[in-house]
Amino acid sequence: MNNDFITEKNNSFFIEEVDIRILAEKYGTPLYIYSKQSIIHQISLLQEALSDINHLICFAVKSNSNLSILNLIKNAECGFDIVSGGELKRVIALGNYDGNVVFSGVGKSKDEIEYALEHNILAFNIESEPELMRLNSIAKKFAKKANISIRVNPNVDAKTHPYISTGLKDNKFGLDEKKAIELYSLAKTMDYINITGIDCHIGSQLTDLSPFQDTFIKLANMIDHLQTIGIELDHIDIGGGIGISYNDEKITPLNHYVSMIKKYLSKYNKKIILEPGRLIIGKAGILLTKVEYIKRSEHKNFIVVDAAMNDLMRPSLYGAHHNVINISNPKNGDEIFDIVGPICETGDFLAKDRQISASEDDLLAFMDAGAYGFSMSSNYNTRPKIAEILVDQTDFKLIRQRETFDDLIQHEIEFVNQKK
Ligand SMILES: *Cc1c(COP(=O)(O)O)cnc(C)c1O
């Protein structure tokens, strides 16, 4: 899992076979650039590791929801994990809809439930009793049975950043084991509910496997218990969360994860559903930005770039680390800089305390920005969302246009109408 799709040849950096500078010239900066081969490679690694397990990979749409990316992932025989009606609309917009969708999230609205019911998804991942009640009554209206899994919160410490930890008992997600069993018993009595699975997702960017092991053991205990009360499942959804290396973190090999699935869960002969996001798309993308100013002071030096926290929120939100390469001048230098954007917030930084050498107009690449990069971006400070490019060997194409000022104001009715 390294970035070998980015290479340096004769002082130029290439993403696959395309010179990154050419993309900057053609499309401007800031820019998200993805490698198609990297995405395909990641999926096939996972598919191969899982080859003797009956499984379905449901890509977490929230990690990167660009339609061209989703299309590529769909063509690699994946389904999708969605967390909103909008994400389901994206999946349907791809065409050839096959219903390989699981719907996660604590706040599914009535409209979202109706929409997903109409489209016969694999499972609603139920996160509370009121949600189950609501689903049953909506399904009754449609005279349809709704497929469900119940999301178990196994109370394991995912040992990741608190904002991306979801499997502790004081997180808002899922139900503890006792409550989950009660809910299964209730679901079994409901006329418009069809129990198909069990679900969990304990957090994101897990680099150590032991929390998965604890979770799988708890899932297995629950499945045993469910069997004793006459509840049989079709699938076991083990969520996503496998981490990637952003800053030389040690990552446990995929095979160990798969061995654990085999050890604890294969004996049930159920389909294993996985919901990876970051693992598939994280390493495949970079954020390319241009240096605007070098600002030095006695205490601190700053590189001010044209990308900001609205384009890549992870450093501000989670204190996340992204490696940075100055592709115009890859020498490290001996000065230490914070790399910051133009937004009027102290939290607007992309990197802190980096030894790097840079001057005005240099191009910097923020690595491993494919997941939770563009999909978390906003228009804060009236900044148009940036363009996205997909590279495929020597080819590249624009997969999302840079927004314009008119895009930003188009919903501000009164003034837009006046203008017309
Ligand atoms: C975010 C999320 C995922 C994907 O997490 P990754 O860390 O990107 O693999 C999977 N399932 C659910 C329910 C999620 O909320």
Side-chain angles (χ1 to χ4, degrees), residues 308-324:
M309 65 186 285
N310 73 300
D311 304 308
L312 179 62
M313 202 182 178
R314 300 186 64 258
S316 302
L317 187 62
Y318 311 129
H321 176 102
H322 287 269
N323 284 335
V324 183

Side-chain angles (χ1 to χ4, degrees), residues 59-222:
F59 175 70
V61 174
K62 75 177 193 283
S63 64
N64 188 316
S65 34
N66 184 291
L67 291 173
S68 297
I69 303 276
L70 297 181
N71 195 47
L72 215 135
I73 291 172
K74 183 184 168 79
N75 289 339
E77 279 162 29
C78 296
F80 296 100
D81 168 47
I82 58 161
V83 293
S84 71
E87 287 189 351
L88 180 53
K89 286 187 182 169
R90 282 186 178 274
V91 171
I92 290 167
L94 300 175
N96 295 322
Y97 176 75
D98 57 12
N100 281 337
V101 170
V102 293
F103 191 172
S104 304
V106 295
K108 301 173 190 82
S109 71
K110 288 173 186 159
D111 286 349
E112 288 175 321
I113 289 175
E114 285 189 10
Y115 184 64
L117 256 179
E118 273 174 56
H119 289 90
N120 301 320
I121 61 173
L122 275 185
F124 288 85
N125 290 340
I126 298 292
E127 306 234 10
S128 68
E129 180 172 336
E131 184 191 337
L132 181 66
M133 308 291 281
R134 179 183 283 186
L135 177 59
N136 186 53
S137 73
I138 294 175
K140 180 174 178 183
K141 213 171 66 188
F142 281 73
K144 226 174 184 173
K145 280 202 169 205
N147 296 330
I148 66 141
S149 290
I150 289 175
R151 177 164 176 181
V152 183
N153 181 330
N155 191 26
V156 299
D157 186 355
K159 301 189 187 92
T160 183
H161 190 281
Y163 286 9
I164 47 179
S165 184
T166 57
L168 281 168
K169 61 179 185 302
D170 32 358
N171 297 142
K172 69 177 175 180
F173 299 101
L175 294 137
D176 67 47
E177 292 141 280
K178 186 164 165 280
K179 187 78 192 135
I181 296 279
E182 285 167 21
L183 210 55
Y184 270 111
S185 305
L186 178 64
K188 201 177 169 217
T189 68
M190 291 177 153
D191 291 336
Y192 297 92
I193 295 294
N194 180 32
I195 298 171
T196 56
I198 189 166
D199 168 54
C200 71
H201 171 72
I202 56 172
S204 202
Q205 185 51 15
L206 276 72
T207 49
D208 169 22
L209 291 184
S210 61
F212 284 118
Q213 171 159 323
D214 297 347
T215 302
F216 294 170
I217 291 171
K218 291 196 174 190
L219 280 179
N221 287 339
M222 288 217 33

Side-chain angles (χ1 to χ4, degrees), residues 367-385:
M367 308 302 285
D368 313 318
Y372 308 102
F374 187 91
S375 66
M376 276 192 172
S377 65
S378 79
N379 294 116
Y380 188 40
N381 279 209
T382 303
R383 290 170 55 84
K385 288 190 185 169

